[in-house]
Amino acid sequence: GIVCFISNFSYLSDPSFVVMRQRFLSEFDKLWFDSLNGDSRETGKLTPEGKPDPSVFSTAYNREGIRVGTAIGLMVRRGERGTKAEVRTRQFWGVTKREQLTESLAARDVNGGYETAKPDASNRFSFRPSEVSSEYLSWAKLTDLCAVAPSNGLMEKRGGALIGIDRDALEARMKMYFDEGVSWSELEELKTGLTEDAARFDAMKAHDKVLKAEGYKENHLRRYALRPFDSRWCYYSPTRPLWNEPRPTLWAQCWEGNSFLMSRPAGAADPEGAPISFARILGDNDYQRGHSYYFPLRIRSTVTRKNAAQESLLDAPQETITANLSPFAREYLNTLGIPDPDASPTDAALIWMHSLAVGYTPAYLEDNRDGIRSDFPRIPLPHKLETLRASAALGKQVAALLDTETEVAGVTSGTLSPTLACIGVLKSATGNALNPSNGDLKSRAGWGHKGKGGITMPGKGRTLTRRNTEAEFAAYETLAPDNRVDVFRDNQNQWRDNQTYDIYLNDTAFWSNVPVPVWEYTIGGYQVIKKWLSYREYENLGRSLTVTEAREVTRMIRRIGALLLLEDELTANYLQCKAKPPQASPPPKRYKIR
């Protein structure tokens, strides 16, 4: 039997399609897949040469084609079945992919242009060819290190009605929503998703149910991590279906003094950048592409214990806080001389901060690219306590730079180094002082626009590429003894002529001297600064940026710059952490990540 079809290319490796891939492997003996990519309008992904990758369905009359990347599958089943399916995949890129695909039909060697994939449980039966070292596979996955399964982030699907950039506006509409004296017609006049029916959401019935279950609570107005470096406000309600997915387990662990490591079960974008992040606040399901899972560093739980002092049969509930560490992780720490990580928040966080340091190391991301893409990241655990503590200390620096809720001395506050002080400076193209009241902070450079369903789609925006000035060079040279400033000037010949960018908000305002690697910096599949700007285009935001918001871009640029300046230390740390005898493999997980 032969089956040929065209489909969304995500099924080749996306975790959501793992069951389907297993079924294909069980039903067919030979499988060929032509990945036509072409999802740049959806994901921003470029060709290997760094150019836009159009849809294979693009024509002179319809240049956009379709938004979703596509693939062609050919699967053959023999009458006499083989013992193991053979899977081959090849990639097509660029504007001539249709012609290349047609020409390939004349090839005498059917398998000539294909790479062989090796789908198995370790890579979620991915149909993409990959090379994963045995060293990497011996390391513990993030899910091997936690005591409780990580939770997905919150999922709203109410058109942003429960999430807002402006705290006061969000507070006002939620107070109206919970006010029984406000009529339904008055709520409809707000034109939010709270009064619009959607899948699994009857708006009026949901409103009645919420009012019966709870009232407005001031402490449910919380900071919310929507995307990397893009923290907003949300109003939390546990009553379904106000939030599409309220994630009560995540809410239960979002308490003062706790924090989260975030990761995803598989890479969903290329480039992805760092596959790990950090926050102290509630966060979104799509904080990273591929859906974010939140690992609390500590777990607060209520247990019932018999009150022996009263000699009563009644149980007295007591609250406990423990490190979120699996038996395997606890045994590892015990061998290093930390028998009780529950006793110290610092010890409870050691492994997680170490994981953060490793996850932001360029050498780690490059050496283990295929393995990281196929599953939750695996982390090498050092065999000396001093190495672990040193790595965790670096991880704390990374965490501080990722945490937009806290100032970082020398980066966002206090006295800055000349190198950081000269990047991301907000300037006026006229040379005059910027005047917000004249619209000088109105974003009209084409960074984003509203798509279907109110979704914000990224735009090209406006950047000016130029060489660094002598003054900028002089500021960079202040770090020359460390050789770390090279990440701003000549990062492995990734660009020429010491280029930098000026990033424009409009015809007047721009952020000066944004180094190429800062501008291109990606976390979880999102180009950080460009993504932030796409949401704040005037037509999307409905107002100009505030002075604080404009300065937030400068702080973001400098936080990313500081992350880049840590890379040499992170690389040396990673090499030391993985230079050890083979580690014992952790036991199988006791829970399932879906």
Side-chain angles (χ1 to χ4, degrees), residues 474-541:
Y476 287 174
E477 290 299 330
T478 62
L479 285 184
D482 296 323
N483 294 320
R484 294 184 299 173
V485 76
D486 285 347
V487 299
F488 288 175
R489 300 197 312 189
D490 185 13
N491 191 1
Q492 297 177 351
N493 298 316
Q494 290 180 18
W495 68 92
R496 297 178 183 176
D497 300 327
N498 298 317
Q499 290 179 351
T500 189
Y501 288 120
D502 290 337
I503 308 300
Y504 279 79
L505 184 65
N506 49 49
D507 289 340
T508 302
F510 67 97
W511 290 276
S512 173
N513 188 25
V514 181
V516 173
V518 173
W519 172 244
E520 295 179 349
Y521 201 78
T522 302
I523 296 176
Y526 295 118
Q527 188 178 342
V528 175
I529 304 170
K530 187 176 182 181
K531 189 68 175 176
W532 191 98
L533 290 170
S534 71
Y535 287 114
R536 277 121 178 127
E537 191 75 9
Y538 181 77
E539 285 70 21
N540 296 338
L541 189 59

Side-chain angles (χ1 to χ4, degrees), residues 150-163:
S151 169
N152 273 110
L154 274 64
M155 187 184 295
E156 191 218 32
K157 292 195 173 180
R158 303 291 170 252
L162 299 169
I163 304 169

Side-chain angles (χ1 to χ4, degrees), residues 229-278:
F229 289 99
D230 191 352
S231 296
R232 306 187 182 186
W233 293 92
C234 79
Y235 184 85
Y236 181 79
S237 168
T239 307
R240 294 176 185 272
L242 189 56
W243 284 81
N244 183 272
E245 292 293 348
R247 313 296 190 197
T249 55
L250 178 61
W251 169 259
Q253 300 308 326
C254 189
W255 39 270
E256 185 68 29
N258 206 15
S259 49
F260 302 91
L261 213 68
M262 295 99 89
S263 191
R264 78 301 172 268
D270 188 14
E272 181 184 32
I276 303 175
S277 195
F278 173 88

Side-chain angles (χ1 to χ4, degrees), residues 327-344:
F328 166 79
R330 288 175 178 272
E331 178 57 29
Y332 162 72
L333 289 176
N334 187 52
T335 62
L336 297 186
I338 303 177
D340 186 13
D342 300 327
S344 164

Side-chain angles (χ1 to χ4, degrees), residues 95-229:
V95 296
T96 61
K97 66 180 71 176
R98 187 187 300 134
E99 291 78 5
Q100 294 174 27
L101 182 65
T102 303
E103 291 172 2
S104 72
L105 298 177
R108 292 186 177 183
D109 182 3
V110 175
N111 297 324
Y114 289 89
E115 295 181 88
T116 301
K118 298 178 181 179
D120 57 30
S122 69
N123 58 25
R124 297 177 185 262
F125 301 96
S126 172
F127 289 166
R128 292 182 182 275
S130 63
E131 294 183 7
V132 184
S133 69
S134 58
E135 177 186 48
Y136 179 79
L137 293 176
S138 72
W139 300 340
K141 283 193 293 188
L142 289 180
T143 49
D144 295 323
L145 301 173
C146 57
V148 298
S151 169
N152 273 110
L154 274 64
M155 187 184 295
E156 191 218 32
K157 292 195 173 180
R158 303 291 170 252
L162 299 169
I163 304 169
I165 293 174
D166 300 316
R167 183 190 188 282
D168 292 345
L170 174 62
E171 181 181 36
R173 68 172 173 264
M174 295 313 302
K175 283 184 174 179
M176 286 184 65
Y177 186 81
F178 281 93
D179 188 344
E180 295 184 357
V182 176
S183 68
W184 184 252
S185 60
E186 288 178 287
L187 291 177
E188 287 182 314
E189 289 177 4
L190 297 177
K191 299 185 183 301
T192 72
L194 297 178
T195 56
E196 298 176 0
D197 292 342
R200 299 192 303 163
F201 184 71
D202 184 310
M204 189 174 289
K205 287 183 178 179
H207 183 236
D208 292 340
K209 181 180 179 182
V210 170
L211 290 186
K212 290 178 182 178
E214 58 180 307
Y216 179 83
K217 299 175 182 177
E218 192 69 36
N219 67 345
H220 281 213
L221 195 63
R222 296 289 189 92
R223 292 291 284 165
Y224 189 76
L226 183 74
R227 301 287 184 268
F229 289 99

